[in-house]
Amino acid sequence: MAKVMLCGRGGSGKSTVTAMIARYLAANGRKVLVMDSDTSSRALAGLLGLRRPQRSLADELGGPDALTRKLGAYLAPCEGRECLIHVEELPASCTSRRDCLALLEVGKAWPGGEDAGHILEELGRTVLGRLDDRGWWVLVDNEAGMDRFGASHRCTDVFLFVSDGSAESLETAAFASRLFLEVEKPLLTVLNRVENDAAEGVASRARRLGVSIDAVIPPEPSVVEALENGRPVPLKGQGAAVVGHILERLETVACRRGGAQVRRRY
């Protein structure tokens, strides 16, 4: 299928959008793995309606002291299909799963500063690169900002930028557009929590920066309530319809690799 990495400023709602897309796919019978690569937020499992895994993949491999020594099959040099890791082969202790929906927690921040963050970033990128996504959608909820993406374009099919419509967020989206155009990777830009009557003005400012807006997710009281109470994001209203539109665009990329169409059950 496709590996999709979500990016954007902190607070733009990447985790919420990730959860909405994942739940939409699962509700339509598609297998989807969500990689939680945000080292600070712990809200994603609740938004997905899953329990948090018993431990992270980084902990499974020994924690900060051991990771630099024994990353084993996940980071050892390797080539060929025999080096791929299938979703079903991921350690059960660091994955949570219900029906078509699975969550892998790469690792959360340790005391140890920037080095620990780089280790987790490398671990997540390498697992993504080796992940066998045949029959699965893979959604990556990553760190905020654009400085974390490095070589990620080599193991990602499409990037989804989530913007809150602010001037700073649109500037970052413009930078992302230039960056991914340079590495020849598709980038979709989604406005999140932007009122319909304000969307055209925001889209106009984005166009002046060279950014095309692919979809607008309006603020939904039910989504806000879910966030406040740690409950699964609902799949209803205009937000769900917009998620369906986003997936149509994402499928354009997936279909180039032989992916099938999502059949909506709404």
Side-chain angles (χ1 to χ4, degrees):
M1 291 307 299
K3 297 175 181 178
V4 183
M5 184 173 288
L6 285 89
C7 50
R9 294 176 64 243
S12 61
K14 294 188 304 300
S15 296
T16 306
V17 175
T18 300
M20 292 176 72
I21 295 174
R23 283 174 51 77
Y24 189 104
L25 283 165
N28 284 277
R30 307 305 295 273
K31 293 181 178 180
V32 53
L33 171 70
V34 178
M35 283 183 59
D36 182 0
S37 294
D38 189 333
T39 62
S40 56
S41 174
R42 288 169 167 76
L44 187 55
L47 296 175
L48 290 167
L50 296 174
R51 62 169 177 79
R52 278 192 68 196
Q54 298 174 24
R55 57 199 307 187
S56 70
L57 180 58
D59 291 331
E60 179 76 15
L61 296 176
D65 294 332
L67 265 174
T68 55
R69 302 194 307 270
K70 60 172 190 177
L71 290 176
Y74 292 100
L75 289 182
C78 189
E79 295 182 1
R81 182 161 289 279
E82 65 276 6
C83 297
L84 293 178
I85 305 163
H86 195 269
V87 174
E88 305 289 354
E89 298 170 336
L90 292 168
S93 63
C94 52
T95 56
S96 179
R97 185 169 175 179
R98 179 184 299 137
D99 301 325
C100 299
L101 180 60
L103 171 67
L104 168 69
E105 186 173 290
V106 175
K108 297 303 177 184
W110 303 303
E114 194 65 23
D115 288 344
H118 286 317
I119 292 170
L120 291 175
E121 179 186 354
E122 181 64 18
L123 174 61
R125 182 164 52 232
T126 305
V127 172
L128 180 64
R130 295 216 178 148
L131 199 60
D132 185 350
D133 65 333
R134 286 175 297 176
W136 286 77
W137 284 79
V138 179
L139 307 178
V140 184
D141 183 20
N142 218 322
E143 291 280 359
M146 297 305 301
D147 58 335
R148 292 281 186 180
F149 292 89
S152 294
H153 65 276
R154 298 193 184 103
C155 52
T156 305
D157 297 310
V158 57
F159 290 83
L160 185 63
F161 190 95
V162 180
S163 169
D164 58 12
S166 66
E168 184 178 354
S169 179
L170 293 178
E171 290 281 359
T172 307
F175 171 78
S177 298
R178 295 190 296 270
L179 172 65
F180 294 119
L181 179 63
E182 184 176 331
V183 297
E184 299 182 335
K185 286 287 181 172
L187 172 73
L188 305 183
T189 302
V190 174
L191 296 180
N192 186 41
R193 300 193 304 262
V194 174
E195 297 282 1
N196 290 327
D197 56 3
E200 182 52 42
V202 176
S204 178
R205 293 196 298 274
R207 285 193 294 270
R208 290 196 291 271
L209 294 169
V211 176
S212 297
I213 302 301
D214 295 279
V216 180
I217 302 176
E220 296 262 8
S222 58
V223 173
V224 174
E225 184 180 356
L227 287 168
E228 291 175 347
N229 295 284
R231 293 204 299 265
V233 289
L235 291 175
K236 60 183 181 180
Q238 188 177 354
V242 174
V243 169
H245 172 70
I246 294 169
L247 276 167
E248 288 178 357
R249 299 297 307 274
L250 292 174
E251 276 190 305
T252 301
V253 176
C255 286
R256 291 176 191 151
R257 305 173 63 238
Q261 293 290 319
V262 172
R263 294 182 180 179
R264 299 196 201 108
R265 297 179 181 172
Y266 295 95

